[in-house]
């Protein structure tokens, strides 16, 4: 077992948003250094010097590095990944803020691949503002899947306080395309990823998962759509036949409305908003976006750049803080499982 605390890289997101603020507020809690070694990817003076400090409180002090190989345990570390001082206006994304977001992410991903970090926590980016000639990805997940050579991945929203875990079979695609994308092969792949992640990352030996239906009332026996009968139910039955605890399809409204989700270790929704709307209603301030299926550990808060409140110092850092602690837990779960596979509960 590694003796060091998990080394967590923080990519700073769009600097015109609330990313630097929620990172700053998370780092203000000195207890964090008992759980991990934080490494912020950006120049600390540029990121944090304008934030207020409580009366009689010490300002944050960072060890500014050129190379992540020099990370100091028990300290706040920052890796320089751009040379210019950006002129930024809170709430107003610009080419400069998009460039900083890209450079921070690329540097952190490079060090994660090199083994200098144990996990990555990503602050929010603007998908539009981050695009460039050499960065054409809809978001963090797609970039990281490509960068780390993951054949498949799974968007997985987690609130460990409520034991609420919701994954999505299809992610950032148009709603009109969901039905054609939802093939038997895709659904089997996503269920396998979910089962493996619950075992490997959350230590659950025999996970119990629920699969939602696509149509209202889960198709009403074909009256409201054939996807359940033709695709979803046969896949579920095959997993049941193979000895897995996979159940459904459940009508999404009643499933969440009656609290049925509490009977399962995780829920697989079939499209983005079907899963994320109920999740964020119940866990917006604490929820974490976890990317399952990667060889590395990556988490993020479940909110966006929040340009409308940027610079006002009113952002809630709870979700980012939860993302940090979940990353620590997953790193430890993978280390424990690697050392002793029987440790899965």
């Amino acid at each position: 077992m590694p003796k060091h605390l998990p080394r967590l890289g923080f990519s700073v997101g769009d600097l015109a948003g609330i990313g630097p603020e929620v990172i700053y507020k998370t780092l203000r809690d000195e207890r964090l250094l008992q759980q991990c070694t934080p490494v912020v990817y950006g120049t600390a003076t540029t990121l944090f010097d304008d934030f207020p400090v409580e009366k009689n409180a010490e300002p944050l002090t960072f060890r500014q590095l050129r190379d992540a190989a020099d990370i100091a345990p028990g300290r706040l570390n920052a890796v320089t990944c751009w040379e210019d001082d950006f002129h930024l206006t809170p709430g107003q994304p610009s080419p400069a803020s998009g460039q900083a977001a890209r450079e921070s992410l690329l540097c952190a991903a490079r060090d994660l691949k090199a083994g200098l970090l144990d996990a990555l926590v990503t602050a929010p980016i603007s998908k539009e503002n981050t695009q460039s000639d050499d960065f054409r990805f809809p978001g963090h997940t797609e970039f990281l899947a490509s960068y780390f050579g993951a054949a498949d991945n799974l968007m997985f929203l987690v609130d460990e306080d409520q034991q609420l875990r919701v994954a999505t079979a299809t992610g950032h695609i148009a709603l009109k395309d969901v039905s054609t994308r939802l093939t038997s092969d895709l659904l089997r792949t996503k269920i396998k990823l979910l089962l493996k992640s619950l075992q490997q990352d959350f230590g659950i030996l025999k996970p119990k998962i629920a699969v939602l239906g696509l149509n209202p009332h889960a198709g009403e026996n074909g009256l409201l759509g054939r996807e359940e009968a033709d695709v979803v139910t046969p896949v579920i039955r095959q997993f049941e036949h193979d000895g897995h605890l996979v159940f459904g399809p459940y009508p999404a409204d009643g499933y969440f409305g009656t609290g049925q989700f509490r009977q399962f270790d995780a829920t697989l929704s079939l499209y983005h908003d079907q899963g994320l709307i109920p999740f964020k209603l119940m866990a917006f301030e604490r929820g974490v976006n976890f990317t399952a299926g990667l060889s590395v550990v990556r988490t993020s808060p479940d909110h966006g750049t929040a340009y409308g409140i940027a610079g006002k110092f009113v952002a809630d850092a709870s979700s980012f803080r939860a993302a940090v602690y979940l990353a620590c837990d997953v790193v430890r779960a993978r280390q424990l499982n690697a050392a002793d596979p029987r440790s899965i509960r």
Side-chain angles (χ1 to χ4, degrees), residues 183-193 234-235 238-239:
T183 64
S184 298
D185 286 344
L186 175 75
L187 193 56
R188 277 192 291 269
T189 295
K190 299 301 183 179
I191 292 174
K192 288 178 181 177
L193 285 171
V235 170
Q238 185 60 55
F239 276 95

Side-chain angles (χ1 to χ4, degrees), residues 249-293:
Y250 295 100
D253 55 352
Y255 175 82
F256 286 108
T258 62
Q260 193 173 8
F261 65 89
R262 296 187 179 91
Q263 300 173 19
F264 298 90
D265 294 305
T267 303
L268 182 67
S269 65
L270 299 188
Y271 59 93
H272 185 280
D273 283 10
Q274 184 186 53
L276 268 66
I277 288 175
F279 181 88
K280 290 190 177 185
L281 280 171
M282 290 183 280
F284 188 70
E285 292 183 350
R286 301 176 307 276
V288 178
N289 183 356
F290 170 63
T291 306

Side-chain angles (χ1 to χ4, degrees), residues 171-252:
H172 295 126
I173 64 171
L175 186 58
K176 65 182 177 61
D177 297 330
V178 170
S179 182
T180 54
R181 294 278 190 94
L182 192 67
T183 64
S184 298
D185 286 344
L186 175 75
L187 193 56
R188 277 192 291 269
T189 295
K190 299 301 183 179
I191 292 174
K192 288 178 181 177
L193 285 171
L194 182 53
L195 290 169
K196 181 179 179 181
S197 181
L198 289 168
Q199 292 176 322
Q200 170 186 269
D201 302 323
F202 296 88
I204 302 171
L205 176 62
K206 193 72 172 176
K208 182 180 179 183
I209 71 171
V211 181
L212 301 182
L214 178 67
N215 298 294
H217 307 290
E220 199 74 77
N221 294 319
L223 180 66
L224 302 178
R226 293 289 310 172
E227 288 85 356
E228 287 79 11
D230 294 344
V231 178
V232 182
T233 298
V235 170
I236 291 172
R237 297 294 171 262
Q238 185 60 55
F239 276 95
E240 290 178 343
H241 180 268
D242 293 341
H244 298 288
L245 302 179
V246 180
F247 303 93
Y250 295 100

Side-chain angles (χ1 to χ4, degrees), residues 80-199:
T80 301
C81 48
W82 59 71
E83 299 298 333
D84 299 327
D85 287 332
F86 297 111
H87 176 70
L88 300 166
T89 302
Q92 296 183 22
S94 65
S97 67
Q99 178 185 346
R102 287 193 305 274
E103 292 183 4
S104 177
L105 175 61
L106 290 167
C107 288
R110 175 202 64 205
D111 288 345
L112 184 60
K113 179 178 279 191
L116 300 175
L117 300 173
D118 298 300
L120 173 62
V121 185
T122 58
I125 60 172
S126 162
K127 293 175 175 59
E128 178 182 4
N129 194 43
T130 310
Q131 300 301 309
S132 72
D133 291 340
D134 57 356
F135 191 97
R136 295 290 183 186
F137 298 96
H140 285 112
T141 301
E142 293 81 3
F143 163 71
L144 292 168
S146 173
Y147 190 78
F148 288 97
D152 297 289
N153 64 84
L154 185 71
M155 182 185 295
F156 197 2
L157 282 296
V158 177
D159 176 5
E160 286 295 85
D161 287 348
Q162 298 188 75
Q163 293 295 291
L164 174 62
R165 307 182 186 101
V166 179
T168 63
T170 58
H172 295 126
I173 64 171
L175 186 58
K176 65 182 177 61
D177 297 330
V178 170
S179 182
T180 54
R181 294 278 190 94
L182 192 67
T183 64
S184 298
D185 286 344
L186 175 75
L187 193 56
R188 277 192 291 269
T189 295
K190 299 301 183 179
I191 292 174
K192 288 178 181 177
L193 285 171
L194 182 53
L195 290 169
K196 181 179 179 181
S197 181
L198 289 168
Q199 292 176 322

Side-chain angles (χ1 to χ4, degrees), residues 33-108:
L33 292 176
Q34 299 172 16
Q35 301 296 322
C36 66
T37 297
V39 187
V40 177
Y41 278 78
T43 306
T45 52
T46 301
L47 294 169
F48 306 123
D49 271 7
D50 292 336
F51 289 142
V53 178
E54 300 87 347
K55 186 177 181 180
N56 299 324
E58 293 291 329
L60 294 181
T61 57
F62 288 82
R63 190 165 183 265
Q64 191 73 48
L65 310 171
R66 289 281 179 182
D67 191 330
D70 296 326
I71 291 170
R75 295 278 305 276
L76 300 180
N77 298 267
V79 173
T80 301
C81 48
W82 59 71
E83 299 298 333
D84 299 327
D85 287 332
F86 297 111
H87 176 70
L88 300 166
T89 302
Q92 296 183 22
S94 65
S97 67
Q99 178 185 346
R102 287 193 305 274
E103 292 183 4
S104 177
L105 175 61
L106 290 167
C107 288

